[in-house]
Amino acid sequence: MPSTTPTRRPSGLRRPTRRRVLGATAGLFGTTALTGCGIPSAYVDEDRRSAPDRSEGEKRLGFSNWTQYIDVDDDGGRPTLDEFTERTGIKVTYTEDINDNDEFFGKMGPVLTQGTDPGRDLMVVSDWMVGRYIGLGWVQAVDRANLPNVTAQLDPQLADPAVDPGRRHSVPWQSGITGIAYNRKELGRELKSVSDLWAPDLKGRVTLFAGLDEALGLLMLSHGADIAAFTEDDANRAMDLVQRMVDSRHVRRFTGNDYTSDLASGAALACQAYSGDAVQLTAENPDIAFVVPEEGGELWAESLLIPNRAVHKRNAELLIDHYYQPEVAAELAAAVQYICPVPAAREVLAASGDREKAELAEHPLVFPTEEMRARLHTMRDVTSAERPALHKVWSRITGV
């Protein structure tokens, strides 16, 4: 981590961890659960996904996002959205109504399966969940002809994930890394690999993520697995090690958002962590460090999707492309401080003349270095066929 860090966010405005899972029941929600609710079939054929586009006559769109995930000015306005409206005449109804991937999936499932108006034209979910929406036929393919900035500016490392090859249905909003955070001062040494978590002096002071989709990628990377094409054997090997660590009481507990409080209080000395949280944790306590392990870290994104039957599809695509202008992407990056999916935004921040923004341009957890990028990998989704068996094992280990 650099000696300078981005401006500390206001107290009490900690960003929610968007990759958290509710638990085994929510994680297994899919075709079977939908059918059990009286819905004939969860899968939607392609010819039932689109609706007549009203974009030409209706200069508006609805956008669902997570809380505190956009730039806000002192008057409560959203400058980058306001700029879009001023330039295009398209008014955006922006709603912060996504609190959890699985919760939102459950909310949208009946609507998208039945083919009714989803009440929004754009939404943001984590990439591991993107794969489920696409697999069920719940989202529309984007028209790349309407996305010239995306084509020109999208980070190549995010352009072809296993969950959506070629980004035919999704476009990254922001990105992040799953790695290791630890208290360097209290531990008295540096951690460099996942295997370092199992050192004897860390017994009872390590936390792991409770969600299968959140925890598994980093654990499989530590065994040399290709997480873009992992096998059930890869997953079971990683889970076997965690079971041994639980049996020996090496793992303190499994966490959701609250891992940050364990690390901040000293109850945990090391943990699985997200780079976006690490920016804030380090600003509050310089003794806390974040590392991408030598074996590799998991690169993930939270991506924009256009749901089935959205009635302002072209307007939504224009908004997506708006955020891929480097100047706009730079403003968003300065506000949310996750990994920016537009590498050219770095030069914009560096040349801004603002000291804090210039420092942000050099922050490796917003604009990763080439050395760091070489150790980042994207994980494919856990398929519906694999999920029940893997979730059964993981739930037994975690007690969730």
Side-chain angles (χ1 to χ4, degrees):
M1 299 290 292
S3 59
T4 56
T5 56
T7 304
R8 176 177 173 178
R9 296 169 62 86
S11 177
L13 294 184
R14 182 174 296 282
R15 291 167 295 219
T17 299
R18 277 164 285 277
R19 290 168 56 82
R20 184 176 60 86
V21 177
L22 286 174
T25 303
L28 290 169
F29 181 73
T31 303
T32 303
L34 286 168
T35 304
C37 293
I39 299 170
S41 172
Y43 182 77
V44 177
D45 292 323
E46 191 164 357
D47 60 0
R48 295 194 294 122
R49 296 176 193 173
S50 63
D53 196 348
R54 304 175 192 166
S55 294
E56 189 65 32
E58 297 181 357
K59 296 296 185 180
R60 64 175 184 266
L61 69 93
F63 183 4
S64 286
N65 205 348
W66 303 78
T67 60
Q68 300 172 35
Y69 214 20
I70 199 167
D71 52 311
V72 179
D73 62 24
D74 292 339
D75 298 321
R78 301 181 179 97
T80 55
L81 277 184
D82 295 341
E83 179 186 336
F84 173 75
T85 298
E86 184 176 332
R87 180 172 60 83
T88 64
I90 299 169
K91 182 178 179 180
V92 181
T93 300
Y94 184 84
T95 309
E96 296 182 338
D97 61 345
I98 304 178
N99 298 302
D100 180 276
N101 280 294
D102 283 298
E103 179 183 66
F104 191 70
F105 182 84
K107 174 182 176 180
M108 296 299 295
V111 175
L112 296 174
T113 302
Q114 292 175 17
T116 55
D117 185 347
R120 54 187 56 77
D121 304 288
L122 205 54
M123 56 192 189
V124 177
V125 301
S126 298
D127 263 1
W128 60 265
M129 183 61 83
V130 164
R132 299 189 204 174
Y133 279 90
I134 294 172
L136 288 165
W138 287 3
V139 293
Q140 301 181 62
V142 294
D143 185 347
R144 293 304 288 257
N146 292 329
L147 303 174
N149 289 321
V150 174
T151 298
Q153 303 294 346
L154 174 59
D155 186 338
Q157 205 161 12
L158 297 170
D160 193 34
V163 296
D164 184 20
R167 290 287 181 188
R168 294 185 59 248
H169 299 84
S170 64
V171 177
W173 174 249
Q174 295 291 284
S175 181
I177 302 167
T178 301
I180 296 171
Y182 66 101
N183 191 313
R184 186 165 37 199
K185 181 178 180 181
E186 290 295 322
L187 192 57
R189 66 178 187 279
E190 293 188 354
L191 299 185
K192 297 181 179 180
S193 71
V194 175
S195 62
D196 290 341
L197 292 175
W198 317 132
D201 61 342
L202 280 172
K203 182 175 181 178
R205 309 291 294 277
V206 173
T207 66
L208 302 176
F209 288 134
L212 174 72
D213 300 271
E214 287 78 6
L216 196 57
L218 192 71
L219 296 170
M220 289 191 295
L221 282 168
S222 71
H223 292 298
D226 176 5
I227 62 172
F230 70 86
T231 66
E232 288 192 54
D233 284 345
D234 292 327
N236 284 318
R237 183 182 178 193
M239 291 192 293
D240 286 347
L241 173 60
V242 176
Q243 181 68 73
R244 294 197 298 273
M245 292 300 109
V246 169
D247 291 344
S248 67
R249 299 186 178 181
H250 192 93
V251 174
R252 169 180 164 77
R253 67 186 186 111
F254 294 89
T255 68
N257 293 5
D258 49 345
Y259 79 91
T260 57
S261 62
D262 277 19
L263 190 62
S265 70
L269 291 183
C271 58
Q272 283 187 317
Y274 301 130
S275 57
D277 291 325
V279 173
Q280 181 173 347
L281 285 166
T282 304
E284 295 171 347
N285 181 356
D287 293 328
I288 292 177
F290 179 87
V291 63
V292 176
E294 293 173 336
E295 311 97 316
E298 182 188 352
L299 177 68
W300 45 265
E302 289 155 345
S303 293
L304 295 148
L305 296 172
I306 299 175
N308 286 356
R309 312 297 294 177
V311 296
H312 305 106
K313 182 174 184 287
R314 186 173 184 277
N315 289 347
E317 289 165 343
L318 291 176
L319 181 61
I320 293 171
D321 208 51
H322 169 73
Y323 277 98
Y324 272 73
Q325 297 175 84
E327 295 78 12
V328 178
E331 288 303 311
L332 183 60
V336 301
Q337 299 178 3
Y338 279 80
I339 292 178
C340 181
V342 180
R346 180 177 180 272
E347 285 69 35
V348 175
L349 291 172
S352 68
D354 182 290
R355 181 182 61 83
E356 291 176 351
K357 288 183 177 180
E359 290 174 354
L360 185 66
E362 300 303 318
H363 202 295
L365 298 186
V366 180
F367 297 98
T369 64
E370 290 304 312
E371 184 275 334
M372 183 182 289
R373 283 181 177 276
R375 288 181 282 122
L376 299 179
H377 307 269
T378 58
M379 179 174 158
R380 72 167 176 85
D381 187 27
V382 178
T383 69
S384 57
E386 296 167 325
R387 188 166 294 278
L390 294 181
H391 240 297
K392 182 178 180 180
V393 175
W394 186 250
S395 296
R396 185 184 69 239
I397 294 170
T398 63
V400 175

